[in-house]
Amino acid sequence: MSADVQIASLLRIAAEDLQGARLLAASGNRNAVYLCSQAAEKVIRAVLTSEGVHAGIKHLLREMVDRVPDENPLKPLLRAIEHLGAYATTFRYPTTAGRVAAPPGTTELDKYTASVDAALQAAATAFAVDLADPRRPAGRPGPVR
């Protein structure tokens, strides 16, 4: 798949994940933060794709953001959401003692979704992706400088 199509697809799926996170949050479902973390991961993957960097199969968002060149102006927005990677793994399963970590509260989750949305919107603008049109590839799929 070409980079322009892949970037646009990743950002559109991120938008859907973020919408799903908000819907789940409204019902108090603990999986809201998981979907928020998935949206963050897809935004980071889109930026890495623009840089010609394969993100691999891990969910370690911090390590993924480390691979984004410092010259990329989106990197600070990605740093602001990299901590959500913990919700893709640690907070989804019980500990060996059987405890399950509590999900973030509503205020905290609202901050998380706002941060992911800021990164998503900035990436969509930078790559010229129309999030509402599933047929259009990214208009500017190259590295952002």
Side-chain angles (χ1 to χ4, degrees), residues 80-100:
I81 61 176
E82 69 186 11
H83 69 282
L84 292 169
Y87 292 102
T89 54
T90 306
F91 288 84
R92 290 182 54 217
Y93 303 100
T95 64
T96 54
R99 283 179 262 128
V100 178

Side-chain angles (χ1 to χ4, degrees), residues 3-86:
D4 58 340
V5 172
Q6 189 171 8
I7 290 167
S9 295
L10 283 164
L11 293 180
R12 288 187 190 108
I13 295 169
E16 289 178 13
D17 286 349
L18 194 55
Q19 179 185 24
R22 288 179 170 137
L23 289 171
L24 287 175
S27 69
N29 188 301
R30 70 177 289 109
N31 289 309
V33 71
Y34 170 69
L35 269 183
C36 186
S37 75
Q38 291 301 290
E41 181 177 335
K42 288 168 184 77
V43 173
I44 294 166
R45 286 181 181 279
V47 174
L48 285 171
T49 299
S50 78
E51 295 286 349
V53 176
H54 179 57
I57 60 171
K58 296 180 181 181
H59 299 287
L60 301 172
L61 303 188
R62 181 185 48 76
E63 289 181 13
M64 291 168 66
V65 174
D66 286 346
R67 299 179 72 192
V68 174
D70 291 337
E71 303 82 42
N72 190 311
L74 297 173
K75 191 168 184 172
L77 292 169
L78 304 181
R79 282 279 179 228
I81 61 176
E82 69 186 11
H83 69 282
L84 292 169

Side-chain angles (χ1 to χ4, degrees), residues 10-12 14-15 18 43 115-125 131:
L10 283 164
L11 293 180
R12 288 187 190 108
L18 194 55
V43 173
S115 294
V116 173
D117 193 41
L120 171 62
Q121 296 305 320
T125 298
L131 295 173

